[in-house]
Every structure is written in C-alpha cells, then in structure tokens.
Amino acid sequence: MRILIATAGSRGDVAPFTGLGVRLRAAGHQVAVATHDTFAESVRAAGLEFRPLPVDPRAALASAEGQRLLRAGHGPWVVLQLLRLGRTFMPALGDGIADATALGTDLLLTTSTTSALGQVVAEAAGIPSISLFLQPLAPTREFAPAISGFRSFGRPANLLAGHATEAATDQLFAPAVRALRRRLGLPPLGIGRARRNHPVLHGFSPRVVPRPADWHPRLDVAGYWWPAERPGWQPPARLLDFLAAGPAPVFVGFGSLVVPDPARLATTVLAAARTAGVRLLLQAGWSELAAEDSDTVLIIGDTPHEWLFPRTAIVVHHAGAGTTAAALRSGTPTVPVPAQLDAPFWADRLTMLGVSPGPVPLRGLTATRLAAALRLALDDPGYRARARAVAAALATEDGAAKVLTAVERVSPSG
C-alpha cells in the first residue's frame, strides 16, 4: 500500500514520523513523507520518499507573528496568535497536501497541523485517512487543555475549557478548509462534523499520559514513535574529546524556539552553568545560540538525541513533545524551560513523573533560578533513579505496533 505521512511544523513535528515510516516500510508498504523542504534530507536519509509542502517553519517563527506567538506563551492569547500566524499559510498548506497526495497515495496519515486539511484531501481522493497526534488535544475532564498552561481547572471546567479550546483552534483551519473543499468539488462540511468518527492515534506513552477514560473510542494512545537513526552518523571528534575530558556535562538546547535576544539567553545559560559548577554542552538550535568554546563549554549543532542524552548529566530543554520524549527515553534527569503552546503541559508531566525538580519557564529564566534547578537535579540521586526507571519502562513499549494494526485494518488485504 502507498502511504503518505503529511506533517508540518518544526523538527519535533517531523522526526518521529521518519522512524514510523521506516517501520511501515519494513512491513511492506511504500512510504512517502510530505513536509517542509528543510527536512528533506532527514526524510531521504531514512530511506523514505520526500514530497514537499510549502512554508519555511523557521522563517515563520522568526517573523513578527511568530515572535508574538512566543510572547503569548500559552493560554487564550496563544490561540489568537495562532490564528494570526496560521491563516497566512494554511491555504497554501492545504494545496500542498492535495498536490502531494495526487502523486500516488492509498492511505493518508496526518498530524495535528495537517489533520483538518488532510481529511478534506482524503475525502476528495476517495482514500482512508488516520490522524497521528503527538499531543492530547481532545477535550477531557482529566486535565486542562494542553495549551492552557494549567494542570487542572477541576473536572467539569476541564471539559468545558477543552471544548472551548477545540472550537477556537478549529477557526485556525476553517477558512482554508472551506476553500479547499470548494476547490476539490466537495460540499460544505464543518471541521467538527468531519472529526466525529475520524480515528486518532497518539504518539506518547500511556505511562506519561494515560488515556483519558472519557475519550471517544476512536481516540487511542499508541506509545512513542522514535525518530529514524541516521545511517553512517558519527560524532565529531571535538564532541568526543569534550565528553572524555571530564564529568558528564549538562546539555542545554531550545530546539526550534526562535528567541528575540539569543545573546542574552546564551549569557544567562553560561552564568547558570558557572554558578552550578557544571560543564556545558550548548546547542545552537534555531536561535543560533553562541559562545566561546573552552574546557567547560562546547557549542554543538544538531546531534542525535538518542546518542547524546544518555551521555549527559542533565537535559535542559524547551519541553517540546519530541525533546521531552527523547529525554525520557535517555534515562537522564531533566530541567524543562517551557515557553509556549504545549510545553508547560509536558514540563508538568516530567515533574509528576519525578524525573525533574520542576520547570524554569523561559519568561522568568534567570541564571540563579536555572543554577538552583541544576543543583537540585544533580544532588538528589532520586531524579536519576526515577528517570532510569521510566526509560526502562518505555523500552518495553512498541508505539508503532498500534499504527501498523490500524494501517492493516484499512488496507485492501485487511
């Protein structure tokens, strides 16, 4: 079967689906990934077909609208900023998904950023579709909406807030969905009605977020989908030398965040490392953080998390879904520095699991606060013990298995 995975966003929105694509290919399917040009190399390196989608996500996050999204952080204001940012490129994204599907597709797999548009494309093409989400977005009584920044408003209020958030975010896609339905010759149909019986599998562990008891049967938690390993990748000699030259360093990286003042953020991190008395691996990331290399500091580029994180003492990160998963997989204590969208949700989960002393939000980040969190995570061996226990449990899970089962169920032979 010819399977197309359509995903849009940052690296964390793409990397898990390269590994899932490899599993689907090993099961005998032809797999293509439709995403942004900036990720073409990683898709092809995994042995998967690449099909382009429009938009440069890094440029979008660096734009005025992207910076307003960063300042909004989470909660009601972030939905407004998402509307402003997303409506500028959603029509082109819908057209890109349609064009990618037209190249030959029997099953369309979509993500939270492509699901609403992908359902329209699949309907027009007469093919099945399944959504694969990395965050729990459906309303539930069991926790507040993932982008609210709160753990709970109370069970009835959680559900109400979930429905309100879902209705608000639907408005992000509604104009593009209406236009795409017209272009593809389909009758009008609201996003909510289209979603009613649409299957969704979630790519996180039930040990991290148990499946809510009040979710519809079409919603399931599959387990993590790990990025494909990079064939032939070897760590740079300078990185190996740094790791060998002293105790395990602290990793600090903010992934796809594009901050307005990267020099200030780098200075804060360097000061925290000096105060805490730790060696530092600072990842440049999309903010292009920079500093002088020394005996205690090394600036690194993109490095596979599955190789690097187990070799560090603590992982400090922006609490994106993908980096959170990688930190849990590594068995390393973590200090999340959440900034926007679902990051506070994942930071809270890390704290609840006992693998983190708690978040240090980017908006209130100081060298003193970060240094104190580093020392807490280092000085209490319980954090590492619990992190290793979680990693051992995750190693027993097979998150791709439920996806394979769902795919076989809709295949011609199934």
Side-chain angles (χ1 to χ4, degrees):
M1 185 161 58
R2 297 170 300 173
I3 299 174
L4 175 64
I5 304 173
T7 181
S10 65
R11 183 176 299 277
D13 299 300
V14 177
F17 299 106
T18 61
L20 183 59
V22 169
R23 283 289 300 275
L24 290 167
R25 188 189 62 194
H29 302 288
Q30 300 177 42
V31 183
V33 178
T35 190
H36 313 293
D37 286 333
T38 190
F39 305 120
E41 182 181 350
S42 61
V43 170
R44 292 180 176 130
L48 308 174
E49 179 190 349
F50 170 75
R51 298 180 186 177
L53 290 183
V55 184
D56 179 345
R58 186 170 181 173
L61 292 173
S63 69
E65 292 83 1
Q67 289 300 292
R68 281 196 291 266
L69 178 64
L70 177 62
R71 290 193 296 272
H74 48 79
W77 284 109
V78 81
V79 177
L80 175 61
Q81 299 308 325
L82 276 172
L83 289 170
R84 289 178 174 174
L85 177 63
R87 283 185 173 176
T88 62
F89 59 78
M90 281 299 167
L93 183 61
D95 291 342
I97 296 170
D99 292 343
T101 302
L103 294 176
T105 306
D106 301 314
L107 170 65
L108 180 59
L109 303 180
T110 60
T111 64
S112 59
T113 52
T114 61
S115 179
L117 296 163
Q119 286 182 61
V120 177
V121 172
E123 181 184 346
I127 60 175
S129 67
I130 301 170
S131 288
L132 308 175
F133 286 4
L134 301 178
Q135 302 88 2
L137 300 179
T140 177
R141 295 176 180 83
E142 297 187 12
F143 45 79
I147 65 171
S148 71
F150 293 91
R151 178 179 296 183
S152 178
F153 300 119
R155 291 180 63 83
N158 285 343
L159 188 62
L160 289 172
H163 283 296
T165 300
E166 186 176 69
T169 52
D170 280 351
Q171 295 309 306
L172 169 64
F173 298 96
V177 164
R178 287 194 294 268
L180 187 61
R181 293 189 72 86
R182 286 195 300 269
R183 185 172 81 79
L184 298 178
L186 297 175
L189 181 66
I191 295 174
R193 287 185 61 192
R195 183 171 51 228
R196 284 179 185 172
N197 295 308
H198 187 68
V200 181
L201 292 171
H202 293 83
F204 48 76
S205 169
R207 290 178 169 86
V208 179
V209 185
R211 183 187 181 279
D214 57 355
W215 268 6
H216 190 280
R218 67 183 176 84
L219 307 172
D220 203 359
V221 175
Y224 283 117
W225 307 312
W226 304 116
E229 295 184 1
R230 303 184 193 180
W233 182 86
Q234 294 294 325
R238 59 191 288 270
L239 176 55
L240 291 174
D241 291 343
F242 184 82
L243 291 171
V250 168
F251 167 89
V252 178
F254 299 97
S256 58
L257 282 185
V258 180
V259 299
D261 192 347
R264 180 180 179 183
L265 178 57
T267 298
T268 299
V269 170
L270 291 169
R274 286 194 301 270
T275 301
V278 298
R279 303 169 73 230
L280 176 66
L281 283 174
L282 180 60
Q283 188 175 52
W286 282 12
S287 289
E288 298 183 351
L289 302 181
E292 292 292 329
D293 288 346
S294 68
D295 291 341
T296 58
V297 177
L298 184 69
I299 307 303
I300 61 173
D302 189 26
T303 307
H305 291 164
E306 66 272 16
W307 183 89
L308 181 62
F309 285 1
R311 292 169 167 81
T312 63
I314 301 173
V315 176
V316 179
H317 58 94
H318 64 303
T323 313
T324 296
L328 289 170
R329 184 189 192 188
S330 73
T332 307
T334 179
V335 175
V337 182
Q340 63 184 11
L341 299 173
D342 57 325
F345 176 86
W346 296 114
D348 183 62
R349 291 285 152 169
L350 292 170
T351 306
M352 292 171 64
L353 288 167
V355 303
S356 170
V360 184
L362 182 65
R363 185 171 296 181
L365 182 67
T366 65
T368 300
R369 292 188 66 190
L370 181 55
L374 292 176
R375 289 310 330 168
L376 277 173
L378 283 168
D379 295 340
D380 184 345
Y383 291 113
R384 181 163 292 274
R386 287 186 290 271
R388 287 176 173 172
V390 171
L394 294 182
T396 67
E397 298 179 357
D398 183 1
K402 282 192 175 182
V403 180
L404 292 169
T405 299
V407 166
E408 293 301 327
R409 190 176 298 127
V410 300
S411 71
S413 60

